[in-house]
Amino acid sequence: MTLIGVLLLTVIAACGDNSSSDEAKEIETIVFADAGWDSIRFHNSVAQTIIENGFDYKTDVISGSTATTFQGFRDGDIQVYMEIWTDNIIEIYEEAIESGDIERLSTNFDDNDQGLYVPTYVIEGDPDRDIEPLAPDLKTVEDLKKYPEVFEDPEKPGKGRIINAPSGWELEKNITEKFETYGLGETFTNFSPGSDAAIVTSLVDAYNKGEGWVGYYWSPTAVTAKYDLTLLEEEPYDEEVWKKNSGTAFPPNDVEVGVQKDLPEQAPEVVEFLKNYETSSALTETALEYMEENDATNDEAAIWWMKENEDIWTAWVSDEVAEKVKKAL
């Protein structure tokens, strides 16, 4: 009797373990990362629209910095990351893949730029606005040393101001290293904005006045789509130099779609869709420009973009799923 009792308890325990294992595999809500910029929010909305209406899952979003959302991604609090700027976080990205915490699915787009920009009229002038060239020989980041007066820091007269990336962004330290590498600290201040919105506000203010402005930005964005900006040149990317002092152009970025390790088992049909997800900077900028011009939300921009580009997104899913999504749109 004792032996039978032990065997029964063992069977019950085993069944309980299997039940909780199956339970762990189930997922009702798929959570996306919002790391703080408009293009990732737009791509989140496109993917969420397809997943909710085509595959009948609920979705949600967790917002934060790149560092916090990526950690949440590794820990399993976030299941989908629609824009992993891989070379900006290459060490922790590769570590997460090698450890099996996440899985790379596709390249969302790879035709992007980032670095220090100036309004093009700073170099070429703008006859339509009666603006003469402010720094006609400005071509490279190092050339900025010749023109501190063009980009005057209102808080430190006699010095120029370069707008860095927001504090907490992974690449803020690269811009700071460039200051030292190119010797910009003698004539410029390294200004840390509070947010992406603060960068845009300072740029738009200077642009409307036809004044000098230089700072970090990237494409695809609504800003680079709307305003005529020039990316200042640096030596071509060199991995050894970059790791030493950031003294080259930013590394080429494959902006990838990734999922948390359990999602392929939890929602294989969703993962199959995300493996097919591919756009471009140009396509992304059309949506961001629509958001800017129409004061639209990222959800509204996603619906507009999907109606305008039905041939693109319907190729990512089956005909049955595409019909369900089109009906919902």
Side-chain angles (χ1 to χ4, degrees), residues 136-199:
D137 296 323
L138 178 61
K139 291 183 179 180
T140 70
V141 173
E142 196 163 9
D143 286 341
L144 286 168
K145 290 187 289 189
K146 307 173 188 175
Y147 298 104
E149 71 284 353
V150 172
F151 309 99
E152 187 172 8
D153 187 331
E155 297 176 6
K156 295 188 177 179
K159 278 199 166 189
R161 170 183 284 187
I162 294 176
I163 309 294
N164 203 330
S167 176
W169 285 25
E170 290 293 319
L171 47 77
E172 178 197 14
K173 62 185 179 184
N174 299 118
I175 302 292
T176 299
E177 284 181 350
K178 288 178 187 294
F179 255 75
E180 298 178 10
T181 301
Y182 297 129
L184 296 171
E186 297 177 14
T187 52
F188 279 84
T189 57
N190 180 9
F191 184 81
S192 178
S195 63
D196 172 30
I199 300 177

Side-chain angles (χ1 to χ4, degrees), residues 45-234:
S45 290
V46 171
Q48 288 176 268
T49 299
I50 293 171
I51 290 170
E52 289 179 359
N53 296 291
F55 299 104
D56 301 319
Y57 287 93
K58 296 175 184 177
T59 69
D60 203 350
V61 174
I62 288 180
S63 301
S65 66
T66 299
T68 58
T69 53
F70 199 82
Q71 187 59 52
F73 187 37
R74 295 189 69 173
D75 292 342
D77 300 320
I78 292 169
Q79 282 77 48
V80 181
Y81 220 114
M82 292 300 296
E83 272 193 30
I84 306 172
W85 286 65
T86 56
D87 280 278
N88 287 355
I89 55 169
I90 191 65
E91 291 183 8
I92 61 171
Y93 180 56
E94 290 182 345
E95 179 188 313
I97 290 173
E98 289 171 7
S99 67
D101 292 339
I102 68 171
E103 184 176 321
R104 176 196 289 115
L105 292 188
S106 65
T107 299
N108 191 336
F109 54 85
D110 59 8
D111 54 338
N112 51 84
D113 290 308
Q114 61 179 324
L116 293 178
Y117 284 85
V118 299
T120 300
Y121 63 72
V122 167
I123 301 169
E124 300 178 5
D126 185 349
D128 293 338
R129 299 173 64 196
D130 294 323
I131 299 174
E132 295 291 328
L134 305 177
D137 296 323
L138 178 61
K139 291 183 179 180
T140 70
V141 173
E142 196 163 9
D143 286 341
L144 286 168
K145 290 187 289 189
K146 307 173 188 175
Y147 298 104
E149 71 284 353
V150 172
F151 309 99
E152 187 172 8
D153 187 331
E155 297 176 6
K156 295 188 177 179
K159 278 199 166 189
R161 170 183 284 187
I162 294 176
I163 309 294
N164 203 330
S167 176
W169 285 25
E170 290 293 319
L171 47 77
E172 178 197 14
K173 62 185 179 184
N174 299 118
I175 302 292
T176 299
E177 284 181 350
K178 288 178 187 294
F179 255 75
E180 298 178 10
T181 301
Y182 297 129
L184 296 171
E186 297 177 14
T187 52
F188 279 84
T189 57
N190 180 9
F191 184 81
S192 178
S195 63
D196 172 30
I199 300 177
V200 175
T201 298
S202 68
L203 168 60
V204 172
D205 184 56
Y207 201 100
N208 289 338
K209 295 175 182 176
E211 296 176 347
W213 183 92
V214 58
Y216 170 78
Y217 224 69
W218 74 98
S219 70
T221 63
V223 170
T224 51
K226 181 175 182 178
Y227 296 98
D228 186 5
L229 305 177
T230 294
L231 179 64
L232 294 179
E233 297 175 9
E234 297 180 73

